[in-house]
Every structure is written in structure tokens, then in C-alpha cells.
Amino acid sequence: MAAAPPSSIDPRSGFCSTNGVYYRLHSPPPLPPDSLPLSIASYALSLLPCPPPPNPAIIFSTSSSSPSITFPLLISQVSSLASELRSHLRISKGDVVYILAPTSLEIPILYIALLSIGAVVCPSNPLSTPDEIAHQVSLTNPSVAFTNAYFAAKLPSHLATVHLKSPLFRSFLEPGAPAPSLPTVEMSQYDPGDILYSSGTTGRVKGLIITHPNFITVIAAYYASREAWSLEDGPYVTLFTIPLFHVFGFFVLLRSVALGVTTVLMEKVDLEAILRAVHAHRVKVIPVSPPLVLALAKSDLVSKFDLSSLRRVGSGGAHLGRELAELFTARFPSVAIYQVSYGLMESTGSAASQLGPEECLVFESVGRISAGLEAKIVDPATGEVLPPGRQGELWLRGPVIMKGYIGDDEATASTLDSEGWLKTGDLCYFDQDGFLFIVDRLKELIKYKAYQVPPAELEKILLSHPKIADAAVIPYPNEEAGQIPMAFVIRRPQSTFTEKQIIDFVAKQVSPYKKIRRVAFVSSIPKSAAGKILRRELVKYALSSPRSKL
């Protein structure tokens, strides 16, 4: 827990010149006592009114139908499933449960039930390759996997599997005969609740351990600020465009349950499906990525649907520029657009946020630091802590910071220092009013839409081909995706390896969002004296040179 801020802080910026720390000037949200045996599932459900709200809890929007469940049914099915997970599948507190499945109506129920019995939820991107999945499974050692018939073939054969669409799983959701008496699960708020997979700049997957209080702190903050975002004209309906295996999707789902709002899940996320869902379900709030903001602002499809219910669009996953925000506002003058809270997986998706419509008017900023957190701007070269207006690496400390990386003490120590500061790898600054601005990423991840693509992983694959002498991968700007992976390749002498052959070679070995989408053949790759690829020089070269000359 972050210490109480000193009294000698700037009342505008939240910066304390005596210790170089930035503080949120709003009071932190009330949190349950540390000693209370509480899971994030029980905490989120405890915030619901009694009786539960009458509006649907979850709607699953497909091209042909829209099945839904109410809040009373959600609570009932969570209770039934939790009991069956313990008595029938013998899942116990601390067991890791791997989930490999696309978004569906069953996933939220499964997440909440697992969290309620102390199991560790371990969701994975269903687009992952069998090799990637095998590595994830070896890293976290799950006791069972939940999937469907299509993705089951990707799982290692030794892993016990339950199909989410099977009659067995469906029976787990139905109230039946009383379950055998089971001892109460002795929960601790500091037990792991979730393991999320994140690729670092080294190119190999790491498993981030997120605890129950990490999530409780995030949900408590949103619950405490709910009045700032109140919608007075009818039911609050939010459209979910974020994958549920992502940290942002995970906590927004829990937030929606805690706030008692209707969540519309989607079978397929594309512009037309989004427009159709807004029209059909009178959606008021959509979290999207900047490429979708651009599509909404420009597409002719928009005029074919009734979007009059829409009140807010939150952009996340990448930077939302002023020009794009103004372009959107020109087309939708009655819809507020704002930058969704900035965060990392390591900070449970929370670090800074815009509290209310007025703060959303500070374009380019991701808002002010989240309540209860501390921040520093540190000069990467000297370690000096910097005041407002100075750029450096953002460090964070507080109750939302992850426990660490599973089975990787070295990576944990390099990311979390001995005082609990998380080194984000992002180049940032605070202004005189305490608003945080993200300038660039010190880490070298490529942001393809809302996905993170590690260049080192793609470089390793490229260098494995006998016709490639050297290679480097950079982020290349793209209007639709934000950034795409671009490869600079040095071919072996006499090699005629083509751009298409390189793209196809990599595509066979990675998830679709990691594919190389542009290739340049060069005679040399700029590197430092220590052999580190100078990616920024390659980015400048790519942007300044006509493609025919690359």
C-alpha cells in the first residue's frame, strides 16, 4: 500500500520536491481491511445492490441471435459452477486453470467462479500457436484447461481438458442436487488470482502474477468515481470490444459486474459488427482502439445504423492523438471521446485515468495518476528524479502493482526494485496540473492494434532461415493498425529470397497479429558498440526513404 503523501506537495501537479514523487490529489478509495478473507469475485458481487438490478448482466451479440443472462441468473450460475468445480473436477485453492477460448457467454461465469474458490485464472489468446501454448503451459503448470472443440487440438495432450460447450459443462451451470459438504475456502487477499501472459523485449513469454487486492484496488477506484461518469437517460449499456484474456478486458468485465451495468460481448469484432450491436442494444459506451476511432470517424457504414444512444467512446491500447479526437468529435458532436485509463499488465491495467468529462478535454494526456498510486519520472541515464515538464521513464508504486513474474526472479528483479517501484519502460512527463503524457516507449514492443509484438521474437525467427544473414524488426506507422511489424533483412550472398517468401515464412510460425507485414532489403543494420540494434535510426530511415530505395 502506498504511504500517505507528505504535506509539502504542489497542490496543482501533486509533485513533492523533497522526494521527487508525484501523488494523486484525490483521496484513495476505501478498501476492505487487509485481514478480511476476500476474493475479487466476492468483492465485485458484494457491490451489487440487493436485490440485483433487473437489467441484463451480459448479452452475447452474434450475427444471428443475442442470448443473455440476468444478474440473478449470473449469480446463480456462478454459485453452481463454483460448487461443481470443487466437487466434480477437484479444483482447489491455488490450482492454475488454463483457459483457451474465444469470447463467449460462458467465459465471465467461469472467471468469476474460479476466482471465488481461490483458483488462479490463466487465460490465453486463442490465436496462439501450439508452440506458444506449450511454452505457456510449461511456465504455469495448470491442472486443467477449459477450451472448445476447435482449439482443443492446440493443447498439449497430457493436459486434462473440459469443453465449454459440452453437456457436462452446461450441467455444471444448472442448480441441481445439493453438492456434498465442502470446507470453506480459506482466502487471503494476497493470494494470486490471475496469471497473464506478456511478451517482453526478450521475445519469450512471461507470466505476470496478479493478486486479488490488485484487482480489488482497481475496482474500488472505479466504484468510488462512478458518479463522475453517471448516465442519466436510461440503462447503462457498454459494448465490449476487448478480448477477455487481456488485462484490460479482465478488469473491465469485473468492473461492469460490480457496477451492475449491462455488458454486450461480441462474437466477432469489426466495424460493422460494432455498429450493428450499438444499434440493436442501444449501447451507450464503447471502449475501442485508435484504429476503430478512425474507422468510426471516416466510414460510410456509420450512416446505415442508428447510433443515437451512444454517449461515450473510450480509446485505449495505444495513443489517441488530438487530430483523431477532433476528427471524431466533428462527426459525433454529442459523443464524448476520451483516452481510456493508461496502464500496463504489470499495474493491473491501471496507472492513470481521466476522472470525468472535464479531464477528457485535456487532449494528448492519459489523465492524472490513479488514486493510491505514487509515480516518479526518472532520467534513464542518471537516475535523477525529474519535476513537471521533464521527460524520463515512468516508475509506479502502489497496491495495483503485480506480485512478480512466475518462475522468473531475474525478470522480476529487473522490473521491480527493492522498494516496490515498477519500471514501466515508458518515456513520459507530467505537466504543471498533474496530467500525465506518454511520449514514447523505452521498451521496444510494437503496438499492432491493441496487441504487443516483441521484435526480438520475430528477429529470432528470421535469423533461423539459412538465406538470411541478419535482420531487425521495427514498428512502422499504419493508419489502420497503429503500427505494423516491418523487417529489415540482409540476404545471404546470391540469395533471391523475396519479400513474400519472408512474410510467409514468419506467418507460419506466429499468431496472426505478429506477422511481418513489410520488408526492406538492406546491406547493413545500424548497431551500437555493444551490438544493440539502433531501431530508431531504422524507423527514421523507413519514414524518410521511398520504398523503392529501401
Side-chain angles (χ1 to χ4, degrees):
M1 187 68 67
S7 56
S8 58
I9 64 172
D10 187 296
R12 284 181 60 191
S13 67
F15 179 69
C16 177
S17 57
T18 59
N19 61 12
V21 175
Y22 293 83
Y23 299 91
R24 177 84 182 199
L25 298 177
H26 291 278
S27 300
L31 296 172
D34 292 351
S35 58
L36 189 65
L38 190 65
S39 71
I40 177 54
S42 56
Y43 176 74
L45 293 174
S46 74
L47 297 177
L48 286 172
C50 188
N55 52 287
I58 302 169
I59 300 171
F60 187 51
S61 181
T62 72
S63 57
S64 58
S65 63
S66 297
S68 64
I69 56 174
T70 63
F71 276 99
L73 182 57
L74 173 69
I75 294 169
S76 172
Q77 290 190 338
V78 165
S79 177
S80 297
L81 180 57
S83 178
E84 292 291 345
L85 292 173
R86 296 183 67 197
S87 61
H88 191 101
L89 297 182
R90 305 298 181 187
I91 297 175
S92 304
K93 175 187 171 183
D95 285 348
V96 176
V97 177
Y98 191 80
I99 301 171
L100 186 74
T103 298
S104 69
L105 205 56
E106 293 82 12
I107 295 294
I109 303 167
L110 178 60
Y111 280 4
I112 298 170
L114 287 168
L115 290 167
S116 72
I117 65 173
V120 182
V121 180
C122 190
S124 179
N125 185 346
L127 296 179
S128 299
T129 66
D131 182 61
E132 291 169 333
I133 291 167
H135 176 68
Q136 293 169 2
V137 168
S138 68
L139 190 65
T140 53
N141 192 29
S143 59
V144 64
F146 287 83
T147 186
N148 61 24
Y150 182 81
F151 293 106
K154 291 185 174 185
L155 291 166
S157 58
H158 73 272
L159 186 59
T161 303
V162 177
H163 288 205
L164 290 168
K165 299 296 183 181
S166 67
L168 176 65
F169 185 82
R170 296 303 307 172
S171 71
F172 289 168
L173 302 177
E174 302 299 330
S181 179
L182 296 169
T184 302
V185 178
E186 295 295 331
M187 296 289 298
S188 165
Q189 283 190 48
Y190 293 93
D191 290 331
D194 191 12
I195 296 177
L196 298 171
Y197 296 115
S198 172
S199 293
T201 56
T202 60
R204 286 304 275 177
V205 164
K206 296 193 290 288
L208 291 78
I209 304 172
I210 308 296
T211 64
H212 288 270
N214 290 154
F215 279 121
I216 288 171
T217 302
V218 173
I219 302 307
Y222 277 100
Y223 188 81
S225 64
R226 64 193 182 281
E227 296 302 324
W229 290 114
S230 61
L231 298 172
E232 299 176 356
D233 53 339
Y236 190 123
V237 182
T238 182
L239 179 62
F240 221 79
T241 62
I242 310 115
L244 293 177
F245 60 80
H246 193 279
V247 66
F248 187 55
F250 207 104
F251 86 67
V252 172
L253 170 67
L254 294 170
R255 180 188 71 181
S256 297
V257 170
L259 297 180
V261 304
T262 298
T263 299
V264 180
L265 302 177
M266 301 183 68
E267 178 182 43
K268 180 182 179 183
V269 179
D270 59 31
L271 180 61
E272 186 170 356
I274 289 171
L275 297 173
R276 186 182 299 109
V278 172
H279 175 103
H281 305 295
R282 306 303 296 160
V283 170
K284 292 191 174 181
V285 181
I286 316 176
V288 296
S289 61
L292 278 172
V293 175
L294 180 66
L296 286 166
K298 288 188 173 183
S299 175
D300 293 334
L301 276 175
V302 170
S303 60
K304 299 180 180 180
F305 297 88
D306 178 6
L307 307 183
S308 59
S309 62
L310 198 59
R311 294 289 177 270
R312 293 204 310 272
V313 168
S315 179
H319 178 62
L320 175 69
R322 174 186 291 271
E323 296 80 4
L324 181 53
E326 291 176 343
L327 184 67
F328 178 89
T329 300
R331 187 164 194 179
F332 299 96
S334 62
V335 180
I337 184 167
Y338 63 102
Q339 182 84 42
V340 174
S341 62
Y342 158 76
L344 305 91
M345 282 190 175
E346 289 85 350
S347 65
T348 321
S350 176
S353 60
Q354 295 171 326
L355 185 62
E358 289 186 3
E359 290 192 1
C360 293
L361 298 177
V362 184
F363 291 115
E364 307 288 344
S365 171
V366 293
R368 292 186 170 108
I369 185 174
S370 299
L373 269 181
E374 301 170 346
K376 291 195 291 188
I377 300 295
V378 179
D379 187 309
T382 66
E384 177 190 3
V385 290
L386 303 174
R390 298 276 303 279
Q391 296 181 11
E393 183 181 11
L394 176 67
W395 289 20
L396 298 168
R397 184 170 67 179
V400 300
I401 304 303
M402 67 167 184
K403 187 173 183 178
Y405 299 112
I406 187 169
D408 197 337
D409 294 341
E410 182 180 350
T412 299
S414 67
T415 304
L416 294 172
D417 77 0
S418 60
E419 296 181 346
W421 286 101
L422 169 70
K423 304 171 186 178
T424 69
D426 288 325
L427 186 67
C428 307
Y429 70 92
F430 285 93
D431 71 4
Q432 295 294 339
D433 293 309
F435 284 94
L436 178 64
F437 295 78
I438 313 298
V439 179
D440 201 353
R441 284 180 294 279
L442 295 175
K443 296 179 180 180
E444 297 173 338
L445 296 175
I446 298 167
K447 275 289 183 75
Y448 176 79
K449 298 185 177 178
Y451 294 111
Q452 294 181 337
V453 182
E457 180 181 358
L458 300 178
E459 287 160 0
K460 182 178 179 181
I461 293 172
L462 288 167
L463 292 173
S464 71
H465 198 285
K467 294 183 179 179
I468 294 178
D470 202 357
V473 176
I474 66 164
Y476 188 87
N478 178 272
E479 186 175 69
E480 179 184 356
Q483 294 177 337
I484 58 172
M486 176 182 179
F488 284 84
V489 173
I490 301 176
R491 289 178 288 201
R492 295 283 184 187
Q494 284 77 54
S495 170
T496 57
F497 210 23
T498 66
E499 177 179 26
K500 183 180 185 305
Q501 287 173 323
I502 289 173
I503 290 173
D504 290 346
F505 172 72
V506 175
K508 292 175 182 177
Q509 303 182 63
V510 298
S511 302
Y513 67 89
K514 294 182 180 178
K515 294 192 299 185
I516 296 290
R517 296 170 189 273
R518 185 181 173 102
V519 176
F521 295 104
V522 292
S523 59
S524 64
I525 291 174
K527 297 180 180 181
S528 69
K532 183 177 176 60
I533 296 170
L534 302 177
R535 299 187 199 279
R536 291 190 182 183
E537 289 190 17
L538 289 173
V539 171
K540 291 178 181 177
Y541 180 71
L543 295 177
S544 63
S545 303
R547 184 163 187 176
S548 60
K549 295 183 180 179
L550 286 173

